[in-house]
Amino acid sequence: MIGNGISQISIEWDACVVRAFRMHIRLSQRALAADLGVRQQTVSEWETGLYKPRGASVTLLNLLARDSGFESMSTEVLHPEGHAVPTVANARDKRTIHPIFDQRQAA
């Protein structure tokens, strides 16, 4: 079992979350693709919403997210449409929004 059951997380990997995670770990699409063993085009397709990560890619993304502290940054991601979508299943009811997602600070 990967991670020996320690701090298992479950993130809904939609386009916004994949891009936010990649930005959080400061990798290019090409570098993230190399780390995951997929093509750069695949990462691009995830970020545009054409496809969602699945299978081993989700497992690796969850492990990378856990190790980078991404799962504790926020329990909500603001989508361009303005609605909030929960993204982390084990965040213990935290409702803070990380500054990277807070569009009010962009102004």
Side-chain angles (χ1 to χ4, degrees):
M1 177 176 183
I2 296 176
N4 296 324
I6 300 170
S7 184
Q8 294 296 321
I9 63 169
S10 177
I11 296 176
E12 180 65 35
W13 291 101
D14 66 14
C16 291
V17 176
V18 171
R19 180 167 169 76
F21 172 65
R22 184 176 60 80
M23 294 175 73
H24 171 74
I25 59 174
R26 298 178 182 187
L27 289 180
S28 65
Q29 287 182 346
R30 185 178 307 251
L32 179 59
D35 286 352
L36 297 173
V38 299
R39 299 173 302 140
Q40 177 274 325
Q41 181 179 345
T42 300
V43 174
S44 175
E45 290 167 346
W46 293 341
E47 291 185 5
T48 59
L50 188 59
Y51 297 105
K52 283 185 166 185
R54 58 189 177 95
S57 295
V58 169
T59 301
L60 290 172
L61 284 166
N62 284 337
L63 290 170
L64 289 170
R66 182 196 66 195
D67 292 347
S68 72
F70 181 74
E71 82 276 7
S72 62
M73 319 178 17
S74 172
T75 59
E76 297 178 340
V77 175
L78 295 180
H79 287 254
E81 297 83 26
H83 64 278
V85 176
T87 59
V88 179
N90 68 343
R92 296 180 192 88
D93 297 320
K94 294 179 186 174
R95 291 289 175 219
T96 58
I97 297 176
H98 190 275
I100 193 171
F101 302 119
D102 191 348
Q103 304 211 355
R104 294 169 293 184
Q105 293 186 5

